[in-house]
């Protein structure tokens, strides 16, 4: 049985007895209002907040809590039983509080175990617009058991799915000549058989759309960046001046 209650203060003196209490026993929810003139509570809320909204929302949540069906699952997980290898494997989950409202602060994780290899992987479910989602792409083909857990309440959902070793490219081992010819006509191309390799090469060589393109890359570098060249030029000029000076040519 779950119990929780509210106690009020009179002139900063806290009462010892609850004025509003809730209880839940075997799925049956009950509320106890141990007071009177609840309309005065609403008026007092308006005096403090200048609005009835806060009190009305509180009352609505009480009614919603009492009228909600406890048989509903708090953790709802959506997944497929079978996935094809290579397809997107996405599992989504929603967690609801006691009022069956979507809890955006829930912390959901998923543990995936391969039944054959017993290899286990854990992931966090990320928050999206109205659910929590996880992408399990990259898992090898096989049978998997998984458990989605909400960490704050320890609520757990156990499930199963299988990844089939299905590759659409392996389903057709022979080319469809009729469709290839149709595609060639639609794209203004042509179909060449293995015995027509020479004709294919000739067609590509003579096709004006495949002209040889020559690219020239010119790279310009300022002379000041060639430090050693500048030093060599300075040494050469200095040597010339010294030789001419030594021979009396200056």
């Amino acid at each position: 049985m779950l119990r929780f209650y509210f106690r009020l203060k009179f002139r900063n003196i806290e009462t010892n007895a609850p004025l509003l209490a809730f209880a839940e026993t075997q799925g049956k929810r009950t509320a106890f209002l141990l007071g009177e003139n609840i309309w005065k509570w609403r008026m007092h809320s308006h005096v403090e907040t200048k609005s009835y909204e806060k009190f009305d929302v509180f009352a609505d949540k009480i009614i919603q809590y009492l009228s909600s069906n406890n048989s509903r699952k708090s953790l709802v997980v959506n997944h497929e039983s079978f996935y094809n290898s290579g397809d997107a494997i996405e599992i989504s989950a929603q967690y609801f509080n006691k009022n069956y409202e979507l809890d955006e602060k829930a912390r959901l994780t998923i543990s995936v175990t391969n039944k054959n290899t017993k290899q286990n992987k854990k992931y966090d479910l990320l928050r999206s617009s109205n659910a929590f989602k996880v992408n399990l792409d990259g898992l090898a083909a096989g049978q998997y058991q998984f458990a989605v857990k909400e960490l704050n309440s320890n609520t757990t959902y156990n499930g199963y799915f299988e990844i089939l070793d299905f590759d659409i490219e392996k389903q057709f081992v022979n080319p469809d000549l009729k469709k290839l010819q149709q595609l060639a006509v639609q794209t203004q191309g042509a179909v060449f058989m293995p015995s027509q390799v020479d004709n294919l090469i000739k067609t590509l060589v003579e096709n004006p759309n495949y002209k040889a393109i020559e690219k020239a890359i010119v790279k310009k570098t300022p002379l000041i960046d060639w430090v050693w060249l500048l030093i060599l030029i300075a040494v050469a000029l200095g040597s010339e001046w010294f030789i001419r000076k030594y021979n009396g040519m200056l």
Side-chain angles (χ1 to χ4, degrees), residues 144-162:
Y144 291 87
Q145 292 178 334
F146 70 93
V148 178
K149 184 177 182 180
E150 203 286 314
L151 300 181
N152 295 325
S153 63
N154 291 327
T155 304
T156 304
Y157 173 91
N158 296 304
Y160 165 88
F161 65 86
E162 182 176 355

Side-chain angles (χ1 to χ4, degrees), residues 38-47 51-52 55-56:
I38 193 172
W39 61 271
K40 292 184 179 180
W41 298 12
R42 188 169 186 264
M43 295 299 296
H44 180 73
S45 176
H46 184 274
V47 171
S51 174
Y52 294 111
F55 181 88
D56 292 345

Side-chain angles (χ1 to χ4, degrees), residues 12-230:
N12 295 327
I13 300 176
E14 185 175 351
T15 62
N16 293 324
L19 295 180
L20 180 60
F22 300 87
E24 181 177 348
T25 305
Q26 298 180 351
K28 183 179 180 180
R29 297 174 179 178
T30 309
F32 303 93
L33 178 60
L34 307 177
E36 61 180 8
N37 297 329
I38 193 172
W39 61 271
K40 292 184 179 180
W41 298 12
R42 188 169 186 264
M43 295 299 296
H44 180 73
S45 176
H46 184 274
V47 171
E48 290 189 341
T49 62
K50 307 300 181 183
S51 174
Y52 294 111
E53 182 179 0
K54 189 174 182 179
F55 181 88
D56 292 345
V57 169
F58 176 67
D60 290 342
K61 288 186 178 295
I62 293 176
I63 296 174
Q64 185 177 357
Y65 171 77
L66 296 175
S67 61
S68 62
N69 185 2
N70 193 42
S71 62
R72 295 178 179 178
K73 296 180 179 179
S74 58
L75 180 59
V76 179
V77 180
N78 298 315
H79 66 93
E80 301 292 339
S81 298
F82 299 93
Y83 298 92
N84 291 326
S85 179
D87 291 350
I89 304 175
E90 185 178 83
I91 295 178
S92 62
Q94 293 177 311
Y95 181 75
F96 301 92
N97 58 19
K98 290 289 186 178
N99 280 1
Y100 206 68
E101 298 172 333
L102 184 64
D103 189 351
E104 298 181 355
K105 297 181 180 180
R107 299 169 55 200
L108 298 177
T109 62
I110 182 172
S111 176
V112 183
T113 304
N114 188 307
K115 291 185 64 177
N116 297 327
T117 64
K118 305 302 179 181
Q119 183 180 8
N120 180 269
K121 294 183 179 181
K122 293 184 178 181
Y123 307 87
D124 290 329
L125 277 75
L126 302 181
R127 179 80 171 88
S128 62
S129 57
N130 59 352
F132 294 84
K133 296 182 179 181
V134 63
N135 194 309
L136 302 178
D137 292 353
L139 293 178
Q143 299 177 346
Y144 291 87
Q145 292 178 334
F146 70 93
V148 178
K149 184 177 182 180
E150 203 286 314
L151 300 181
N152 295 325
S153 63
N154 291 327
T155 304
T156 304
Y157 173 91
N158 296 304
Y160 165 88
F161 65 86
E162 182 176 355
I163 301 178
L164 304 177
D165 188 10
F166 176 84
D167 189 349
I168 191 171
E169 294 184 357
K170 297 179 181 178
Q171 306 305 311
F172 305 96
V173 295
N174 297 321
D176 192 332
L177 181 59
K178 185 177 180 180
K179 290 186 178 180
L180 290 176
Q181 291 174 338
Q182 182 180 359
L183 178 62
V185 172
Q186 293 177 351
T187 58
Q188 298 180 355
V191 177
F192 294 89
M193 299 299 177
S195 59
Q196 299 174 311
V197 175
D198 295 337
N199 294 337
L200 172 60
I201 296 175
K202 182 179 179 180
T203 302
L204 294 176
V205 172
E206 296 176 353
N207 194 327
N209 294 325
Y210 302 105
K211 295 181 179 179
I213 300 176
E214 181 180 353
K215 295 183 179 180
I217 300 176
V218 180
K219 185 177 181 181
K220 297 181 180 181
T221 304
L223 184 61
I224 194 173
D225 292 340
W226 295 77
V227 179
W228 291 106
L229 181 59
L230 292 177

